[in-house]
Amino acid sequence: MGWPLGGVGFGGDYNPEQWAEEVWAEDVALMQQARVSMVSVGIFSWAEVERRPGAFDFGWFDRVMDMLAEGGVKACLATMTASPPPWLARLHPETLPIKADGTRMWPGARQAYCPSSPIYREYAGRLVEQVASRYHDHPALALWHINNEYGCHTRACYCDVSAKAFQDWLRDKYSTIDELNRAWSTKFWSQRYDAFEEILPPRSAPTFANPTQQLDFARFSSDALKGLLTMERDIIRRHSDIPVTTNHVPLAKTLDLFAWGKEVDVVSYDSYPDPFDKQAHILAGLSYDVIRSSRQGQPWILMEQAPSAVNWRHNNGIKQPGQMRLWSWQAIAHGADAVLYFQWRQSKGGAEKFHSAMVPHAGPDSRVFREVAALGEELQQYSDILGTQPDNDVALVLDWDNWWALELDSHPSNELTQMDALLAHYTPLFEANIGVDVVPPDADLSKYKLVVVPNLYLTKDPENLTRYVHNGGHLLMSFFSGIVNGDDQVYLGGYPAPFREMLGLSIPEFHPIDHDEPVEILGEPATASLWLDEIVLEGAEGDVLTQNAYGQGKAWYLGTRLDANGMRRVMDHITGQAGVRPVLSGLPEGVQAARRGDWLFLLNHNTYEVEIRRPE
Amino acid sequence: MGWPLGGVGFGGDYNPEQWAEEVWAEDVALMQQARVSMVSVGIFSWAEVERRPGAFDFGWFDRVMDMLAEGGVKACLATMTASPPPWLARLHPETLPIKADGTRMWPGARQAYCPSSPIYREYAGRLVEQVASRYHDHPALALWHINNEYGCHTRACYCDVSAKAFQDWLRDKYSTIDELNRAWSTKFWSQRYDAFEEILPPRSAPTFANPTQQLDFARFSSDALKGLLTMERDIIRRHSDIPVTTNHVPLAKTLDLFAWGKEVDVVSYDSYPDPFDKQAHILAGLSYDVIRSSRQGQPWILMEQAPSAVNWRHNNGIKQPGQMRLWSWQAIAHGADAVLYFQWRQSKGGAEKFHSAMVPHAGPDSRVFREVAALGEELQQYSDILGTQPDNDVALVLDWDNWWALELDSHPSNELTQMDALLAHYTPLFEANIGVDVVPPDADLSKYKLVVVPNLYLTKDPENLTRYVHNGGHLLMSFFSGIVNGDDQVYLGGYPAPFREMLGLSIPEFHPIDHDEPVEILGEPATASLWLDEIVLEGAEGDVLTQNAYGQGKAWYLGTRLDANGMRRVMDHITGQAGVRPVLSGLPEGVQAARRGDWLFLLNHNTYEVEIRRPE
Amino acid sequence: MGWPLGGVGFGGDYNPEQWAEEVWAEDVALMQQARVSMVSVGIFSWAEVERRPGAFDFGWFDRVMDMLAEGGVKACLATMTASPPPWLARLHPETLPIKADGTRMWPGARQAYCPSSPIYREYAGRLVEQVASRYHDHPALALWHINNEYGCHTRACYCDVSAKAFQDWLRDKYSTIDELNRAWSTKFWSQRYDAFEEILPPRSAPTFANPTQQLDFARFSSDALKGLLTMERDIIRRHSDIPVTTNHVPLAKTLDLFAWGKEVDVVSYDSYPDPFDKQAHILAGLSYDVIRSSRQGQPWILMEQAPSAVNWRHNNGIKQPGQMRLWSWQAIAHGADAVLYFQWRQSKGGAEKFHSAMVPHAGPDSRVFREVAALGEELQQYSDILGTQPDNDVALVLDWDNWWALELDSHPSNELTQMDALLAHYTPLFEANIGVDVVPPDADLSKYKLVVVPNLYLTKDPENLTRYVHNGGHLLMSFFSGIVNGDDQVYLGGYPAPFREMLGLSIPEFHPIDHDEPVEILGEPATASLWLDEIVLEGAEGDVLTQNAYGQGKAWYLGTRLDANGMRRVMDHITGQAGVRPVLSGLPEGVQAARRGDWLFLLNHNTYEVEIRRPE
């Protein structure tokens, strides 16, 4: 696809149905004032365009689209399926999702549909057909916005309809029930299934449900939602070549973004760093690197961010003056070609009325609108950034299969989480201004100088990593990696069996700890927590951190989680050994440097000014 | 109504069905010894007078009533509907209440009925008809005690029967579905209803349910229970002119007491200060001021208090010697004309056997009985207090609509609660011995020298407050007031739009904080927490605390919650400016002074003695 | 029964269905190497021997049994009923258990059956019939292992089938509904039942369910599971005289072990001390004393322990080198004649793959297997220990009826728990190396020099205790004892009415405290927590700790819970007075001494070595 907009995309979610039509004209005038180039429309319009089943009325929406076209604002047009109207639940209560404990999720909020419901799919598909056929050649149309934040609230459904869909998914995967029984290790605890029809989602049970059942259900749930995406996309494709996207909620376990990225033309991300969190920009940076990497570095869309505060945390801080501009530029530095907000005009009522908006309750004469408009103006000058991409030497390995498996119950420790593991390894790289791609473990790694593998408990294809090192790569792997295969079955023969040779060591037993433990790392003291492997050297050197020459390359193993300084020391050492260079060195603490093509971005995340000499 | 008893009412809940009839004679003798003038009878007698549907047997209860009459003890006669017998649930399981997540509440405890159940209403109504027709002219009868602690356990029901009743309530309120859609802002999140029949209680949902749906459901639930009260009252009225009351649980969100107070002849309150809580008497004082104000200052009944410990907290302390007397007198000082206990004789079995009683397990030869009897004797001397009322200069504004709305989800901060807000503003007035009425925001305020408005987020009728100031009143308003109207829709145009002129300021954004912040208030340091408004002065003076002349009056605004000393300093300053005088000044800390008519009450809440000079 | 094995039993759970048959031969060879004498087989084999209802196939299991016989390893043969196959739930969903809040427990884990289900009983019974008739004279058979860890996950069921069974149980107990109404005190809160058919399990209710209903439901639930045990045992008995056992989970509230011990030939216990808990060996010691006492001191089987880490806690530590040996010998010192593990070979998949096993994932060349085999070897030398029993002078009173009642809601304090109470009184005895039996309150106490009665709230038969003292016994009783009878009804007349005379005191009110309080005990300062009785002396001497001569004996009363030092001081004093002697005195801290017959065990629980002189 070509980029649909003339410059850096700028705008937000526009929900005009909330306002009388006389407000719309003021909206367009203010959009022009703020240099808005694109707005997302129709996201929550289902109940207004189809007030009764099959009774479609797009008249008011035609007027919105025409008005945008006349005003020179492009439409990122939603398929309107994000939240079914109450009549669907009344006609078909079996479309409502059900939790593992049997609790039904009722209408009155949003996203109250079972992802596997054929009835929801039928009604949603009919609506998409209407929208796509009606607007596919509308002059305002720039981008198709499929649904909205899939899996944000309804991540999985455990109802009987979902059980049937899960059985079908398992039949596709395993072909025979014997093969499923083997993969799921059902000979233990007398769990053997005699037929796919006996299998249920992992509903509330007396104790730990079968781990592979849980793992497959997580895979199925991501796929069930993905099936909704492709169903809508395929309908659109029959009418239109305009690019499609769908916007993802902040980095979460629910959806395998690497699989989802393949199904759209451009990836979109909703970013809500917490202003009360002093490290929020690091998590944001990681998230942006993930979303960009989910389409191999192509530019992506920051589809939603808050102009100031959100309203859905327990306690919601505002963005300080300048902070919204800083965080917007950070997204661009990490590869975004568009910056949009939720939402254009702040709601007067409803569940998001205290979520900040580009036009606040106080109107345009306000700090928030002024900062928004100033950013819109500023971004006009930087169209040359569009399409450029970061070129990074370091890959951080992330796998949703591992995420789901790592956080299963009945493990040596339940304190080990994927997000903590990612952040512990990403933060020292970020702080050293080293650009990072986030890749699945089966990615082509040959371009990278260093591959970082945090706690890759489930490893489907260990050879891809060992081959990379053998061919000359540098790799850091942390504890509790290479333990199970894709069926969550242990690789026998001493942990971590598939990596013992590459790492030159073995681990006799898992060794979670219940306290912090002082250790020495690279000659200096540090603090170990969570876990502290007893390492048996089989060729490697070192103790808590080991290194091993393997083929043309080198593999490090870190048998614990260190405090921030310790992790930083380890990463400094290994990036140095691997010949990885920062974007810029010698910067004051809190200043981020990033590159896209020829562009160098310098971002001061401190609350005070700093002075920086122009790099040579 | 006239006061039904000769002196200060004294007694307790009497549940003789728990004991063999031979114990009853001892009961009456001990009542006489303790100078008991009235007991509540029949509260849990349903299952004993109607052992099978329609098979009434009041013989044993006749004997109780006759015995009381002969013993000179009046009966506060319950309608017996508080806890339906198990047979009702077996015959009609649809009368059982259901929680938001679908969990049914079963029999085996008490209050297991859906407030909207027509079947429960039918059976309860038939029983009340029996009780009222049988005892309306019994010589023991002094007062009708309708049901018991409405909404104590079953605050709301989410079943299909309640859904239907909720729909009817909404139809009455809004007439058309379009008007409901407007009020509920259903154009957001695709929530438009096409018919009232589509609407449900706010059951478990994928995320935040519509706020106005939640708010209306809270209103409906208070009204549904109130409908039970008036149903019973109207049956009684056909038989009897004896006053009716219903007893309320400690100050809670469930029932709009200002609305309930209009439906009875005298209001009753159950007070259970926690002996482990050093500030319990302040919360008690606030509660008493609320219940008294719910009937415009008329004398009220302390229907229940514990002679010593309760049994329903996690850990239950006893009342120290003298503490029960002190807290009883405190209720009288705040306007009570009767002091009663739960219960007369301590249960041998069942769920309240470890709740203290006037006659403990050990029998009358016990500290508890001796203190009870001594108080009964003492109160004989003070009949002159009866009917007198406090006359206060300060009004504290409380609105159940605001309570429900303030604590909704999806807000700037969920740490802001109505009870904390009330106590933060009430405590410095209490400690300064300034009497307080607690009034709804639409009350006639003209008699007050100062009106205190803590966090009145939802403001239905802002003019009543602005008019009061304009006409010369003094008013203190705290942050997050005047934000939404009765539909929970924001007043646009800069916060707090309806009060900007009165206060001479505006607030650009809500500003919750996640830490304590030092501020300066009236020249001294203080600590701000929860929230810290950025205030734009538009005529007012000050910073965290502002003041503004408006019409003949003056309005203060406090943009934060201060620590106790800070709140005290603010309140001292403003009461001084408003010409409000304490009941008595110069008292030692911990000594409360209160007035009813000519009576001055001095209550030492310390654990040590103090010396006080007779006031001039 | 005679002991079925030649020496100290040694082995573990063997689940060969998890592995290909070629692994089995290696298993037997390794078992011989580790001196394994017995393995538990068939525990989770149901789904493999009955793949479809009624289609039995024991061929593979015959091969397992034959192979064991040939290898000289005995079988502790399970009845295979622990975990029904998925087809049972599909055919009969009504066999699935339901929680108090209505949540159904689904298959996918284990133990998903309603204990009262006649359908589960029918299918389980048919299977036991098959197993018993097929293997009753198999040469490998040494012991019948009924089911597995009854009540481990499914402790009670609240479904309609269970309701019916509960009604039947109540009808058996009370004969008439009037007698039940009396026992349950249903005249309070209008709970009178008109028929047994109206009664339900204590499902979710608006507030505290009737306490005696809760208590009887706990009794019923223990009995319902016990009914499964005896059903299976009786089937086996028709085929075999080989002893039967069932293995119990770590000391828990669910099952009345004193009642269960009567139904088997030998008791078995699964012990999982937490390696992260420095006091784990004390809790283990208490548990072993309970299980041994549940069959009057007869030798018992340590049916399961972990060779190293478990996997079901939140965070699971490994056993340090030597710790498994130490804790195994501790079980023997407390009366075990067999030491077995869960499980033989560590699972490759499923929910327990991270539970350590005798043969770990790494194989036999591992610390864990080496320690296991060394212990197996060592135990060969100590067959003379078999059959010996400890002979203790101190009895600690435990009653499941009290456990259930003590921890009911609506109590003076909910911070008082049975396990804390037991440990607070047991620990100082353990640390002083004084052997303890744990007995029900109706046991024959005449052989003991001292009886310790911690918080025996519910006392069914006070005379057994008073008679013991009267006849010359020494007894220590703690607060909140002797309060209610078996119906959870208060003994009237001043607490603790049935023991006032024996103790020479009374307690006016219960006195929980919300803070730690300094007190003086036996002339030294100590810290009181939880509770602090105000004691009225009626013949006794002392204050917080009192003593009273009664008949030929002496009774102490401790009105509080002291810190560890305080409890130790009290216990030292009283054991001294009672003439109780430690097994050995003058040992270093952390060294346990215990006796069985002529055998003296010295166990060093410290992480360092100590030197001990040979006792004279």
Side-chain angles (χ1 to χ4, degrees), chain B residues 66-142:
Chain B
D66 295 349
M67 182 190 67
L68 292 175
E70 285 158 28
V73 178
K74 290 289 179 188
C76 176
L77 177 55
T79 54
M80 308 190 179
T81 57
S83 194
W87 53 252
L88 184 65
R90 190 173 173 227
L91 275 178
H92 302 287
E94 70 273 29
T95 60
L96 295 173
I98 292 188
K99 295 206 297 183
D101 67 358
T103 307
R104 192 173 283 278
M105 297 288 97
W106 294 87
R110 68 185 228 204
Q111 212 171 66
Y113 59 82
C114 161
S116 299
S117 165
I119 297 171
Y120 168 75
R121 288 182 183 224
E122 181 191 327
Y123 279 90
R126 185 172 69 175
L127 176 61
V128 177
E129 181 72 35
Q130 290 277 332
V131 173
S133 64
R134 187 173 194 96
Y135 298 110
H136 68 277
D137 57 1
H138 194 283
L141 180 66

Side-chain angles (χ1 to χ4, degrees), chain A residues 208-374:
Chain A
F208 308 126
N210 182 293
T212 319
Q213 179 191 16
Q214 294 186 60
L215 175 59
D216 270 344
F217 189 70
R219 291 163 168 153
F220 159 75
S221 298
S222 175
D223 283 358
L225 287 165
K226 186 153 63 70
L228 295 178
L229 168 76
T230 53
M231 177 270 290
E232 294 202 8
R233 181 202 60 198
D234 293 346
I235 294 171
I236 290 170
R237 273 291 167 268
R238 290 202 301 269
H239 296 277
S240 166
D241 291 330
I242 299 284
V244 306
T245 192
T246 191
N247 57 324
H248 287 294
V249 296
L251 195 50
K253 187 177 175 173
T254 315
L255 307 181
D256 176 354
L257 294 188
F258 291 133
W260 282 64
K262 296 176 180 136
E263 306 292 354
V264 293
D265 300 305
V266 56
V267 287
S268 298
Y269 188 72
D270 299 348
S271 179
Y272 290 102
D274 181 356
F276 283 150
D277 174 6
K278 299 284 177 271
Q279 303 278 87
H281 59 290
I282 303 180
L283 173 56
L286 169 61
S287 307
Y288 301 156
D289 291 339
V290 172
I291 197 75
R292 184 189 67 248
S293 301
S294 77
R295 269 194 82 77
Q296 290 73 45
Q298 291 177 13
W300 54 280
I301 296 174
L302 179 64
M303 187 64 88
E304 296 183 15
Q305 67 169 338
S308 184
V310 301
N311 69 319
W312 42 264
R313 292 193 178 93
H314 182 74
N315 193 16
N316 301 287
I318 63 168
K319 290 184 180 173
Q320 298 300 321
Q323 195 164 25
M324 184 273 291
R325 175 177 171 244
L326 171 69
W327 285 358
S328 298
W329 273 108
Q330 188 192 14
I332 295 169
H334 283 262
D337 272 5
V339 173
L340 296 93
Y341 303 86
F342 179 87
Q343 62 178 331
W344 166 253
R345 187 180 282 276
Q346 194 165 1
S347 299
K348 190 177 168 181
E352 300 205 51
K353 62 182 168 296
F354 294 122
H355 193 294
S356 60
M358 300 164 80
V359 182
H361 288 144
D365 181 15
S366 56
R367 173 180 79 86
V368 166
F369 184 77
R370 278 187 293 271
E371 289 200 28
V372 163

Side-chain angles (χ1 to χ4, degrees), chain A residues 194 204 414 488 495 509, chain C residues 52 106 308 314 353 361 367:
Chain A
D194 199 54
S204 296
N414 296 121
D488 198 42
Y495 317 122
E509 287 184 88
Chain C
R52 254 155 251 122
W106 295 87
S308 184
H314 182 75
K353 63 182 168 294
H361 288 144
R367 172 180 79 86

Side-chain angles (χ1 to χ4, degrees), chain A residues 477-534:
Chain A
M477 178 172 280
S478 287
F479 64 94
F480 207 49
S481 292
I483 305 305
V484 296
N485 64 17
D487 297 329
D488 198 42
Q489 292 186 347
V490 174
Y491 290 112
L492 298 181
Y495 317 122
F499 298 125
R500 276 177 71 175
E501 191 184 343
M502 174 185 83
L503 297 169
L505 54 74
S506 72
I507 308 295
E509 287 184 88
F510 303 121
H511 210 316
I513 54 179
D514 66 342
H515 59 279
D516 287 350
E517 180 91 14
V519 292
E520 196 184 284
I521 289 289
L522 299 167
E524 304 272 343
T527 303
S529 59
L530 273 180
W531 199 284
L532 189 52
D533 271 337
E534 181 198 338

